Amino acid sequence: MPAPTFEELLARPGLAWMGQNTTHLPTPPAVVDAIESSVAAREFQLYAPPAGFERLRELIVADLGLVGSDAWLTDGAVGGLRQICAVLGSQASVLVTSDPGWPWPGRFVESVGTPVIALPIYEQPDHRLTAAQIAEVIEPGAIIYLIDPLNPLGSLYPREELEAIVEVARAADAWIIHDATYRHFAEGHTLVADLYPERTFTTYSFSKWLGLAGFRVGAVVAIPELIRMLTRLPSNPLGSSIVGQRAAIAGLSDPGAWLAELRSVNRRNLEAVERVVAETGFGHVVVSPSQANLLAIDVVDTGLHSEAVCDAILERDVFIRPGTYQSPLFGERFVKVSTSVPEAWADRFVAAWAELAAESAAR
Ligand SMILES: Cc1ncc(COP(=O)(O)O)c(C=O)c1O
């Protein structure tokens, strides 16, 4: 069965969205107020400041704790990734990343003729890139694209591994793109920019932790010199969503209670998914505990293709995604489940998984 389009999925009002790592908990009231005030004032008739509201840029830099850095607001983190790849892509020798990973930066640099090496990590003991693996393929002037925590497995790069990766990068004068889209879900996240500020771009998203995917707000954070290099010819010279930025300012102004609730629901849902997988013996979780709002379930022993598993779960009105979107090498073997969702949705996933396991055992 061909995968349903997002438009088809959006036309299903009862769907449990557990495939895009987006957050579906009730939005913090201050964020809703900021959106409503902005709409009531018809701010959407205006362009936002090209680099983003000053206040928001300060809040993002403070949230990361990257003193002395600058933030540039983009149309989602992906807008920033697109721009980094446009600016660095044609001068870079190669982009080194992981398989599984997130495919877009690789596609962006390939479009300007730069090759991509996606190193296999699915079967690595820690399910992430190692400095040794990167050292084997790196070339002078490479870009290393690190997703941390990793979508789609939920693995985290510990500080020591990042230090070793930076050493390899420094020796090759390589750039690092540190994609920190899922940072707010992790325990003890280290920023590469703290170790290698001179050549690191950190990309930041509001889609996951604050649940603002539809507004398209994100940022690139780096030392001012790198931000200037990036924005000489910006991709969004008329600014990014003004209403979205108001929402982001409200969310970042007082994130404590929201983050505590978000992490607690996410943790509970991760555990519920892990439990049903263990109890049914239908597949096994690849990385536990996941450090993101998602986890991957290996389904190779079920005898089913990952896409067939997702189709069967979708018939039960729960949307999860096959690994094929994020892994040419291993995608048939795993499915990905997103967990920053209402507990009732996670429970629907649990019921659907148990049913599929029973059905499959009866066959
Ligand atoms: C690793 C990674 N980077 C970037 C993005 C895009 O984030 P945004 O919605 O902020 O554009 C995603 C979205 O799924 C992602 O998984």
Side-chain angles (χ1 to χ4, degrees), residues 37-297:
S37 308
S38 177
V39 170
R42 294 205 309 274
E43 280 195 313
F44 51 80
Q45 293 179 333
L46 303 163
Y47 293 117
F53 282 112
E54 199 70 50
R55 171 84 183 127
L56 182 53
R57 295 165 61 199
E58 286 166 9
L59 282 167
I60 293 169
V61 170
D63 185 37
L64 295 176
L66 289 175
V67 181
S69 288
D70 197 359
W72 166 52
L73 263 291
T74 55
D75 301 335
V78 69
L81 289 164
R82 178 81 181 91
Q83 180 71 0
I84 297 167
C85 293
V87 171
L88 298 185
S90 51
Q91 33 166 313
S93 51
V94 63
L95 180 135
V96 180
T97 190
S98 59
D99 179 330
W102 199 62
W104 286 103
R107 291 176 189 163
F108 295 150
V109 300
E110 269 174 345
S111 75
V112 293
T114 301
V116 174
I117 299 178
L119 295 163
I121 54 142
Y122 191 73
E123 290 164 328
Q124 290 278 106
D126 293 316
H127 306 284
R128 58 175 184 250
L129 288 169
T130 63
Q133 247 182 327
I134 297 174
E136 270 178 37
V137 298
I138 199 157
E139 292 172 26
I143 302 171
I144 301 171
Y145 173 52
L146 281 184
I147 308 160
D148 172 30
L150 178 63
N151 175 16
L153 302 184
S155 22
L156 183 74
Y157 286 82
R159 188 176 187 94
E160 314 76 69
E161 192 67 61
L162 292 175
E163 283 168 353
I165 291 173
V166 162
E167 209 173 297
V168 172
R170 200 170 258 131
D173 265 340
W175 300 95
I176 297 185
I177 304 175
H178 194 196
D179 183 330
T181 295
Y182 299 95
R183 167 181 160 90
H184 293 80
F185 297 96
E187 280 168 31
H189 186 261
T190 300
L191 286 164
V192 175
D194 270 333
L195 310 170
Y196 189 42
E198 64 273 29
R199 275 170 113 68
T200 298
F201 293 96
T202 307
T203 55
Y204 185 103
S205 175
F206 286 97
S207 300
K208 317 298 179 174
W209 76 268
L210 196 53
L212 299 184
F215 274 127
R216 312 311 305 128
V217 270
V220 180
V221 179
I223 56 171
E225 186 190 329
L226 294 193
I227 294 292
R228 272 196 298 278
M229 176 182 113
L230 208 59
T231 52
R232 246 171 243 140
L233 190 62
S235 49
N236 59 350
L238 305 182
S240 293
S241 167
I242 194 163
V243 184
Q245 290 192 53
R246 294 295 191 202
I249 290 171
L252 260 185
S253 296
D254 187 15
W258 164 255
L259 277 176
E261 169 70 5
L262 175 70
R263 288 183 184 132
S264 142
V265 173
N266 184 51
R267 188 60 48 209
R268 180 262 178 206
N269 289 342
L270 283 171
E271 283 166 13
V273 173
E274 288 220 32
R275 200 172 316 117
V276 74
V277 173
E279 281 171 8
T280 56
F282 191 69
H284 65 268
V285 170
V286 182
V287 171
S288 172
S290 164
Q291 294 292 323
N293 60 337
L294 55 97
L295 54 66
I297 307 171

